[in-house]
Amino acid sequence: PNGGGLGMVAIGVGGTDAVDVMADEPFVLSWPGIIGVHLTGKLNGWTSSKDVILKLMGILTVNGGTGSIVEFFGEGCKNISATGKATITNMGAEHGATTSVFAYDSTMSEYLRASKRAEWADLAEQYVDCLHADPEVYAEPENFYDQVIRIDLTELEPHIVGPHSPDLARPISKMKEAVRKEKYPDAPTSALVGSCTNSSYEDIGRSSSVATEALKYGLKAKMPFYITPGSETVFQTVKRDGYLDSLEAIGGTVLANACGPCIGQWHRRDITKGQRNSIISSYNRNFPGRNDGSRETLSFLTSPEITTAMALGGSLSFNPLTDTLKDKDGKKVKLSEPMAEALPEEGLKIDKTGLLEPLEDSSKISVVIKKGSTRLALLEPFVKFSPKDFLNMPILLKAKGKCTTDHISQAGPWLRFRGHLDKISDNTYKFAVNAFTDDAGVGVDSLKPKSAAKPFPEIARDYKNSGVCWVVIGDENFGEGSSREHAAMQPRYLGCKVIITRSFARIHETNLKKHGILPLVFENPKNYDEIKADDKITIANLDKLETGKPVEVELTHKNGEKEQILCKHTMSKVQIEWFYAGSALNYLAGE
C-alpha cells in the first residue's frame, strides 16, 4: 500500500493472490466504496505525516475503512512529501481499507527523479489529468464520496496510539493524563525508529535532527534505542549524509534493513517473562505480543521524531513541544522542532546489493528438501469438498473481541516454521480469547468433555485424527493484521471447514477462500451471542452453493433442540469452484 504515495491504486494482497495472477487467473475483489479525506493547511513543527494517519485511525477505528478505498485530496496534500504520503497510505491497512491513494503531484515527480526514475515521472506528467479526480469531485466531495473526513494539518497535533490497538489515539498533550489514568509504565524500556511505515530518508533525517541537537546539550538516549533504515538504498544514503552518526552517538543501534522487531524478530534480554513494560516506536502495528513475543509489553506508536525525543526524555509523559530536559550542566533546555529535507540534494544512493537476476531457463531447477527437516516440508493438497464433512461439526473456538492474524498464528520465533505447515500449526489460535471461558488459547475437547482444558492446536489435532471437522466463531473484523496465509492454512490443515463471524478483515477472508474454508457472516449479528460451547453445527446443501444466496446454518443444542440461522457469504463463481476443489491451488492444478 506504500504505492498510494505515488498515485497508485496499490491493493495489498496475500501471497496466494499473487500466485493466482502469475498462473494467469483473475484477481477477485469486492467492488469498494470510497472515503474522501480532505486535507487542508500545512504540517508544521513536530507534526508529521505519521500524525495524519494516527489521527485518522482514531476516527475510523480498526474497521472503519473496510470495503473502501480511501482517497486523500485538498491543498494540504501538496505540502506532504511522497514518502510522507507513503507513510499515510501504508498504515491505511490498519483501518481495513482496500487501499489508500493520493493524486499525482510534484512531490511524486521529485521522488521519482531522485530515485533515478525520471522516465516514469515524464510519462506520468503526460497523463497527469488522469491521475487525479475530476474538478467537480473536489468542488463538491459529498456528492461523490460515501464519507468525507476533514483534517486541518495546520492545527494537527502529534499523536500517540496504543497500547494493543492502532486506533487508541490521542494527541501528545493528552498522553501524560492517559499514563496517569491507565497506570501505563511511564518509562519505556525501548524506543524504536523504522519499519515499512516510517523509515524513509526524511524520517531518519528528522530523527537525526533531534539527535544532533541533543548531542550539543550532552544528552543521550535513556533506554535502548534502535533504528531500522527502510532499504539498502536508504541505509547507504543516510550513512553517506551523516544521519546515522548522530543517532548512534546518542546511543542508537542500527538494525538490519528488515521487518525486525516490528514482526517479532526481536530477542529481548532486557526484560523478564511476564514483566509489564512500555515501548515506543514508529511502527504500524501494536497487537499484544507482536514485537517481542511478550503480551505484557505495551506498545505505543508515534512518529520517528517523537520516538527519538521520548528516548531522550525517558518518559511516555515527555512532550517535546512543551517540556524541557536538563543538559550536561544541569540547565533546562527545550528541543527545537526537527528539520530535514524530504530528499537528498545528491539524490538517493541506489544500491542493488543482493539482487539476483532470474535465470532465463528455470526448467532445470528442482526443489530439494532435506529428509527430516523441521523447517521445510512440501505442501500436500487439501482434501476436496465432501458434504458429510459439514454435519454435526463441533465448535473449536468462539473468539471474543479482537482476533487478529497475530492471535491466529503469531509471528516472532514461529516464523522459522513458515515452510513447514505441520510445525507452525502448533501455534494455531494460541492467543485467541475463548468467549466461553475468557481464557486465551485453550478450550474443551468435545470428544472428551470431562477432560481439562487443552490448547486449541491439541484439540484440533484430536478432531483431525478422529476424522471430525470443526468450526470457528468470530467477532468483528476477524483476521485483521498482516496478510499471513498461515492464519488460513493452519486451521484448514487441522480440519477447519467453516468460520462464521460478525465481519471479516478483507485479506483474511480472501485467504480462507483460497484454502477451502467457507467464510460466513451472520445476517443477524446477535446470533453470535446465542452460540453455546457444546452446540453442533450442520450446513446442508452446500453442493448447491450460489453467489449472492444466503446459507442456512443449523445449530443443535445440547438438549437436542435445533435452531436455524442465516448467514451471508461473498463467494464468487470461481471462488465456489475453489471451495469444491479443496483450495485455489487444487483448482489451478486441476486436482
Side-chain angles (χ1 to χ4, degrees):
N2 289 57
L6 278 177
M8 297 169 60
V9 177
I11 299 172
V13 301
T16 48
D17 286 314
V19 168
D20 290 353
V21 174
M22 286 190 285
D24 206 27
E25 290 292 319
F27 170 60
V28 180
L29 180 73
S30 296
W31 189 260
I34 311 176
I35 297 173
V37 180
H38 188 189
L39 302 181
T40 58
K42 185 176 182 179
L43 295 171
N44 59 83
W46 285 89
T47 308
S48 72
S49 58
K50 183 61 169 278
D51 301 305
V52 177
I53 186 60
L54 296 186
K55 171 75 172 179
L56 189 60
M57 284 302 308
I59 296 170
L60 287 176
T61 75
V62 292
N63 59 6
T66 301
S68 296
I69 290 177
V70 176
E71 181 184 342
F72 294 85
F73 68 96
E75 287 299 309
C77 298
K78 297 178 181 178
N79 301 316
I80 301 174
S81 67
T83 52
K85 291 179 172 75
T87 289
I88 295 168
T89 61
N90 172 291
M91 201 170 163
E94 306 316 313
H95 54 65
T98 300
T99 192
S100 306
V101 65
F102 283 83
Y104 188 84
D105 63 19
S106 61
T107 66
M108 301 177 193
S109 174
E110 291 163 3
Y111 179 80
L112 288 170
R113 296 181 192 284
S115 56
K116 296 181 171 56
R117 289 178 285 182
E119 68 276 15
W120 289 103
D122 292 340
L123 182 61
E125 284 158 16
Q126 289 180 44
Y127 299 97
V128 71
D129 288 345
C130 302
L131 298 175
H132 57 68
D134 297 330
E136 58 266 33
V137 175
Y138 298 144
E140 298 180 291
E142 280 81 4
N143 294 338
F144 296 91
Y145 296 107
D146 301 310
Q147 178 183 357
V148 177
I149 297 168
R150 290 178 169 80
I151 298 176
D152 185 340
L153 302 181
T154 304
E155 296 182 358
L156 184 64
E157 191 178 336
H159 272 58
I160 299 174
V161 304
H164 298 333
S165 187
D167 61 351
L168 182 54
R170 83 278 290 171
I172 193 170
S173 59
K174 304 293 185 183
M175 190 64 195
K176 187 179 295 186
E177 173 60 20
V179 170
R180 185 196 65 77
K181 183 178 179 181
E182 303 298 335
K183 296 182 172 55
Y184 298 139
D186 193 28
T189 51
S190 290
L192 307 99
V193 167
S195 92
C196 61
T197 310
N198 272 126
S199 53
S200 67
Y201 181 85
E202 182 179 24
D203 290 329
I204 304 298
R206 284 173 68 87
S207 293
S208 176
S209 169
V210 176
T212 298
E213 184 181 31
L215 289 172
K216 295 177 182 177
Y217 297 133
L219 301 173
K220 295 286 185 74
K222 296 178 180 177
M223 63 197 70
F225 179 42
Y226 301 103
I227 302 97
T228 306
S231 64
E232 189 64 19
T233 290
V234 169
F235 171 71
Q236 294 294 347
T237 308
V238 295
K239 183 179 179 181
R240 178 197 69 193
D241 294 352
Y243 287 171
L244 294 184
D245 294 340
S246 59
L247 291 167
E248 290 179 315
I250 65 167
T253 299
V254 180
L255 305 179
N257 315 319
C259 293
C262 186
I263 195 170
Q265 297 295 287
W266 184 15
H267 182 52
R268 295 186 71 180
R269 298 181 177 87
D270 60 317
I271 61 170
T272 58
K273 188 175 182 179
Q275 177 184 341
R276 190 169 185 262
N277 72 106
S278 298
I279 62 172
I280 186 81
S281 79
S282 67
Y283 295 171
N284 57 351
R285 291 189 177 128
N286 58 353
F287 306 137
R290 179 179 177 88
N291 304 117
D292 58 7
S294 173
R295 299 180 68 79
E296 290 74 27
T297 294
L298 308 184
S299 178
F300 295 88
L301 309 178
T302 188
S303 66
E305 49 268 58
I306 294 293
T307 300
T308 305
M310 285 189 168
L312 296 165
S315 167
L316 287 176
S317 300
F318 177 67
N319 181 354
L321 284 73
T322 57
D323 298 344
T324 58
L325 297 171
K326 288 186 178 180
D327 69 6
K328 59 181 180 293
D329 299 319
K331 295 180 180 178
K332 289 184 178 181
V333 294
K334 185 179 174 184
L335 294 172
S336 302
E337 297 171 352
M339 299 285 290
E341 296 296 326
L343 294 164
E345 287 186 14
E346 298 178 45
L348 295 167
K349 187 177 181 182
I350 307 298
D351 191 296
K352 295 185 178 180
T353 302
L355 173 66
L356 298 177
E357 296 288 349
L359 297 177
E360 290 186 10
D361 180 12
S362 60
S363 61
K364 297 181 181 179
I365 295 176
S366 59
V367 178
V368 179
I369 296 176
K370 183 179 178 181
K371 188 176 180 180
S373 172
T374 59
R375 298 287 295 269
L376 296 172
L378 291 175
L379 184 65
E380 297 293 330
F382 292 132
V383 296
K384 294 181 181 180
F385 166 78
S386 173
K388 65 180 178 60
D389 291 341
F390 295 82
L391 306 177
N392 293 311
M393 297 177 287
I395 297 167
L396 176 78
L397 159 71
K398 179 179 174 181
K400 181 179 179 179
K402 188 183 290 289
C403 189
T404 71
T405 50
D406 278 18
H407 292 81
I408 302 168
S409 173
Q410 196 184 40
W414 289 95
L415 292 182
R416 67 184 184 274
F417 299 131
R418 270 188 153 178
H420 199 299
L421 184 55
D422 185 65
K423 288 285 184 184
I424 200 171
S425 291
D426 284 334
N427 80 356
T428 308
Y429 298 119
K430 188 174 181 181
F431 295 103
V433 176
N434 188 342
F436 301 130
T437 64
D438 281 339
D439 295 321
V442 296
V444 175
D445 188 335
S446 69
L447 301 179
K448 303 168 185 175
K450 294 184 180 180
S451 62
K454 295 192 299 186
F456 288 129
E458 288 186 24
I459 300 172
R461 286 187 186 277
D462 191 23
Y463 290 160
K464 182 178 181 179
N465 293 335
S466 302
V468 175
C469 302
W470 45 272
V471 177
V472 166
I473 306 299
D475 208 327
E476 296 281 3
N477 205 34
F478 188 85
E480 79 174 92
S482 301
S483 54
R484 210 171 293 150
E485 283 70 34
H486 294 82
M489 293 173 71
Q490 292 169 216
R492 177 69 165 102
Y493 173 75
L494 293 176
C496 179
K497 292 293 181 180
V498 181
I499 297 181
I500 310 174
T501 71
R502 283 175 163 154
S503 65
F504 283 102
R506 175 180 62 86
I507 293 180
H508 185 61
E509 182 181 19
T510 299
N511 282 339
L512 294 175
K513 296 175 184 178
K514 294 282 183 181
H515 296 292
I517 293 176
L518 180 63
L520 299 176
V521 174
F522 295 111
E523 276 206 352
N524 179 1
K526 292 182 180 178
N527 289 148
Y528 168 90
D529 300 314
E530 299 164 4
I531 293 179
K532 306 295 188 293
D534 44 19
D535 284 348
K536 294 292 191 296
I537 289 180
T538 292
I539 307 178
N541 301 318
L542 282 178
D543 55 336
K544 298 181 178 64
L545 186 62
E546 292 184 55
T547 298
K549 294 289 182 68
V551 171
E552 191 172 89
V553 175
E554 181 181 85
L555 303 179
T556 301
H557 301 301
K558 188 177 182 181
N559 61 6
E561 291 183 3
K562 297 183 184 298
E563 181 181 349
Q564 309 295 325
I565 63 174
L566 285 179
C567 293
K568 301 175 289 186
H569 71 88
T570 59
M571 302 279 277
S572 67
K573 288 183 179 180
V574 71
Q575 290 170 343
I576 291 173
E577 292 300 317
W578 298 344
F579 177 66
Y580 290 145
S583 72
L585 286 176
N586 287 2
Y587 174 79
L588 291 173
E591 293 286 342

